Structures are given as C-alpha cells and as structure tokens.
C-alpha cells in the first residue's frame, strides 16, 4: 500500500461549485448528478472521467471518511491545470493506494484515479478532516496517440 503525499490542489480560476451531502449511499448518486450538470454547463469533455472520479472519492468519504450521515463536501472548479474534483470529509486519515491484484474486487478506486487523471492528492484542512482532489485531463506521462 502506498500512502499519498500531502499536497495542495491547483488554485481555482473559477468560483468553486459546491454541494454538501450526507455520508449515505444515496449521496453518491446525488454527487454524480451534481457533477454531470456541472460538466454539461461548462461544456467539458471530461464528464465520463469526472463522474468516475466523483463516484470513487465520494464512496471513499462515505465508507472511510465520515460518520454515517455526516457531512461530505463536493467541490468542482476549473484551474489552469484542468478541471478539479475535490471531496472533503471529516476524517484526518490519509488516503492510500492499494495495488491492483487478481484476487481483490474492491478497494482500487485511488489506483484507478491515479491512472486516469492528470494528478491527485490530498491535504489536511485547518478546520479538521481532509480534502482529496483529482485534476482531470491528459496525464503528461501518458500522451494520447497520434
């Protein structure tokens, strides 16, 4: 298991769009619906990747980062590096990446995010808890073919 390095997300160049949900299973769909509308309003091509990232990060916040029914904050914004998906929860526990294996069927969300996003990371919040973020877009070390 690899622990992520603490880092700060890119600076927003637009006002963040925010959604507060409860840490309940239904909150994951609510967050995806919110993100889908945001991507459509911004006319961004990263909607599919963004929805997968939202699903993984909100699921992690629900399962590992908040008390049942506790608050989870979703933030979406544009930065100079690309669209940013950020999920805040009340736990200070640092996220870690589990390696892909042939025998495990869950727990690979951050490994997937690491593969499909430009970058990702987390930082502790001065108010308590943490924010886990991902910057969408093509990874510099994986250019598209052609």
């Amino acid at each position: 298991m690899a622990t992520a390095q603490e880092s700060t997300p890119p600076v927003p160049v637009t006002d963040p769009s925010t959604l507060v949900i409860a840490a309940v299973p239904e909150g994951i769909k609510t967050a995806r619906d919110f993100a889908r509308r945001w991507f459509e309003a911004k006319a961004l091509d990263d909607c599919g990747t963004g929805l997968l990232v939202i699903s993984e990060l909100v699921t992690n916040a629900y399962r590992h980062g908040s008390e049942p029914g506790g608050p989870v904050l979703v933030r979406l914004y544009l930065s100079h590096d690309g669209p940013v998906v950020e999920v805040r929860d009340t736990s200070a526990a640092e996220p870690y990446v589990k390696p892909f294996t042939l025998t495990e069927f869950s727990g690979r969300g951050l490994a997937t995010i690491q593969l499909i996003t430009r970058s990702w990371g987390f930082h502790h919040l001065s108010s308590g808890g943490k924010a886990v973020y991902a910057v969408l877009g093509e990874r510099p070390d994986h250019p598209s073919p052609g």
Side-chain angles (χ1 to χ4, degrees), residues 71-107:
V72 173
L73 176 76
V74 176
R75 289 175 24 120
L76 303 170
Y77 62 87
L78 298 178
S79 75
H80 288 297
D81 295 336
V84 177
V85 172
E86 181 180 287
V87 175
R88 297 178 176 197
D89 62 45
T90 57
S91 172
E94 297 182 359
Y96 58 91
V97 178
K98 292 182 180 179
F100 286 110
T101 67
L102 297 176
T103 58
E104 298 293 327
F105 295 103
S106 66

Side-chain angles (χ1 to χ4, degrees), residues 34-121:
F34 170 74
R36 181 179 293 109
R37 288 188 302 273
W38 186 82
F39 279 96
E40 289 171 355
K42 301 290 184 195
L44 295 172
D45 294 332
D46 295 321
C47 185
T49 301
L51 295 179
L52 177 58
V53 170
I54 283 281
S55 291
E56 294 297 340
L57 293 183
V58 172
T59 298
N60 284 352
Y62 158 66
R63 288 186 178 166
H64 311 292
S66 296
E67 293 295 321
V72 173
L73 176 76
V74 176
R75 289 175 24 120
L76 303 170
Y77 62 87
L78 298 178
S79 75
H80 288 297
D81 295 336
V84 177
V85 172
E86 181 180 287
V87 175
R88 297 178 176 197
D89 62 45
T90 57
S91 172
E94 297 182 359
Y96 58 91
V97 178
K98 292 182 180 179
F100 286 110
T101 67
L102 297 176
T103 58
E104 298 293 327
F105 295 103
S106 66
R108 304 301 171 260
L110 291 176
T112 300
I113 288 171
Q114 187 169 280
L115 290 172
I116 66 171
T117 62
R118 178 180 294 272
S119 63
W120 78 278

